[in-house]
Amino acid sequence: MKKYIIYILMLSVALLSAGCKKSVPGPSQGFGKVAFSLSATGEYVTKASEVDVNLFTVKITRPSDGWTKSFDSFGSMPQAIELPEGAYTVEVSSPDALPAAFDQPVYGASANFAVRVGETVPVSLTATLQNMMVTLNPDSNFLNELSSFTVTISNGEGAVHSLFWTTSDIKNGPKDGYFSVAPLSIHVDGYRAIDGAYASFDGRITDVAARDHHIINLSAKTTGQVGGITITVDYTTNDKTSDIEVPGLDEIPVDGPDPEPDPDPDPEPEPGVAAPSLEWAANPDFLPVPITDNADADLVVKAPGVIRDFIVTVSENFKPAIAAIASEDGSVTDMDLINNQYLITMLAEVAPSLPTGNSLKGQTVVDFPLSALVPMIAGVGNSGEDYIFTLHVTDELGQKLVKSLTFHLE
């Protein structure tokens, strides 16, 4: 039965690929109209300026043949659009959608609707937050003990995925950062006021989702509703608080018994044991690669400290494809290639060349071939979009590799 389902899935992808050629509405078809109106309600929860939904981009798609019509802004659209009878999907999104930026909430929504001959169809959407908000909340110990500090938070490789908070940013805050949905890496550097002693912290938040508001507590220890398409904005977020205590600030010694040693210290990397790394012989600079049948995306993962965890996260536009194979109910959108047995079973059918499970865990060098899989993106992707796959590899010593691969569909 499972093989039959996989066969249907692969056949569907093939049919979608064959339907990539765009068509225009035929003159012999019956037409109807879609009327448009707009309103925005809700109380915004950060200091960023109020969202102007008139600036949202709009894309209308006819799934039957892939025909699309796009508008640069909702405000520039006509009040009514004439379309052939049929089923359609409309998507709206904030105009700016950097993977990481200050004061840049990204809102979006989609809906399906049907056009009927001679009728005007109303469609209503509520745009919700598609990215995550991060707020830093230092306590008095952090502000008093440290004379200077910086906090770096990233959701991928490269400057475009990172935001930096300086001493003045944190003392004069709040300064809210926004990140596309992906695990967050946190790095804190601090210098103690009394003697300039250095302390740092590295951590990671993996429980992430759209609309999350990650409140990171920092501490330092001494030691218009008219018929048509209506867009509203839901400004609420899901609060998730993370406590971070910067270690490494030794107390001034006092008389007394020596403290007992930590019975279960964190493992320290052995001298000379390198962190995990990724090699891409055909693309050593990891530049964006066009999605073609001849794309060379054969990688090599090296982990002298032995692979413990191997997770692949994907950009928002590819998560529905992953959800179809990563869990039975479609709730999982990351690929845990070692621990997700459901995903491993599915991949054994559709991508048998991809290493999973024990072919990754405990290994020090792994061939990771993706060339045969890259063309499959075209079958479910949209022209002009980037599809980003981020590898998160952790070795037995806790050393991490986070590296993104970008594929572009022309």
Side-chain angles (χ1 to χ4, degrees), residues 157-348:
E157 287 289 308
V160 72
H161 289 275
S162 300
L163 295 181
F164 305 88
W165 284 260
T166 64
T167 304
S168 60
D169 291 333
I170 296 174
K171 286 188 174 181
N172 299 327
K175 184 178 182 182
D176 298 316
Y178 287 83
F179 295 85
S180 57
V181 179
L184 298 173
S185 297
I186 304 167
H187 178 75
V188 182
D189 290 306
Y191 295 87
R192 190 165 70 172
I194 191 172
D195 58 4
Y198 171 73
S200 67
F201 171 88
D202 286 283
R204 188 168 173 80
I205 299 175
T206 57
D207 183 12
V208 295
R211 300 180 66 186
D212 281 352
H213 180 192
H214 294 280
I215 303 170
I216 300 176
N217 294 326
L218 300 169
S219 185
K221 184 179 180 181
T222 303
T223 94
Q225 308 294 330
V226 178
I229 292 184
T230 302
I231 301 177
T232 57
V233 177
D234 181 348
Y235 300 112
T236 59
T237 58
N238 304 318
D239 288 353
K240 292 186 177 180
T241 302
S242 299
D243 296 324
I244 292 177
E245 184 177 277
V246 180
L249 297 176
D250 296 331
E251 292 187 47
I252 298 174
V254 296
D255 293 336
D258 292 335
E260 293 294 328
D262 186 349
D264 187 24
D266 292 333
E268 292 291 338
E270 298 177 14
V273 177
S277 61
L278 184 64
E279 296 180 0
W280 191 349
N283 184 20
D285 295 324
F286 288 81
L287 300 174
V289 170
I291 297 173
T292 66
D293 291 339
N294 299 318
D296 187 339
D298 289 342
L299 314 173
V300 178
V301 179
K302 295 184 178 180
V306 181
I307 294 174
R308 184 187 73 197
D309 299 308
F310 200 119
I311 297 173
V312 180
T313 59
V314 300
S315 51
E316 198 71 25
N317 55 356
F318 203 68
K319 285 190 174 183
I322 299 304
I325 62 171
S327 62
E328 191 167 4
D329 61 0
S331 63
V332 177
T333 55
D334 294 338
M335 302 174 70
D336 186 338
L337 298 180
I338 291 179
N339 300 305
N340 185 340
Q341 192 56 51
Y342 184 92
L343 172 67
I344 292 172
T345 300
M346 297 292 279
L347 288 176

Side-chain angles (χ1 to χ4, degrees), residues 77-144:
M77 292 175 61
Q79 290 186 344
I81 294 179
E82 189 174 59
L83 294 171
E85 182 178 33
Y88 295 84
T89 298
V90 60
E91 299 173 273
V92 297
S93 179
S94 301
D96 299 317
L98 294 173
F102 289 109
D103 296 330
Q104 184 203 255
V106 176
Y107 288 87
S110 64
N112 299 322
F113 65 95
V115 173
R116 293 176 288 275
V117 176
E119 296 184 15
T120 298
V121 180
V123 180
S124 180
L125 301 94
T126 298
T128 57
L129 195 67
Q130 300 299 298
N131 56 358
M132 308 181 296
M133 183 168 67
V134 172
T135 300
L136 301 183
N137 181 36
D139 67 8
S140 58
N141 286 339
F142 189 87
L143 296 175
N144 293 333

Side-chain angles (χ1 to χ4, degrees), residues 342-362:
Y342 184 92
L343 172 67
I344 292 172
T345 300
M346 297 292 279
L347 288 176
E349 297 283 351
V350 299
S353 64
L354 193 69
T356 58
N358 291 332
S359 296
L360 293 172
K361 188 175 180 63

Side-chain angles (χ1 to χ4, degrees), residues 381-398:
N382 296 313
S383 297
E385 291 189 354
D386 287 337
Y387 293 84
I388 302 172
F389 300 76
T390 303
L391 277 60
H392 305 265
V393 182
T394 306
D395 66 15
E396 293 288 355
L397 301 173

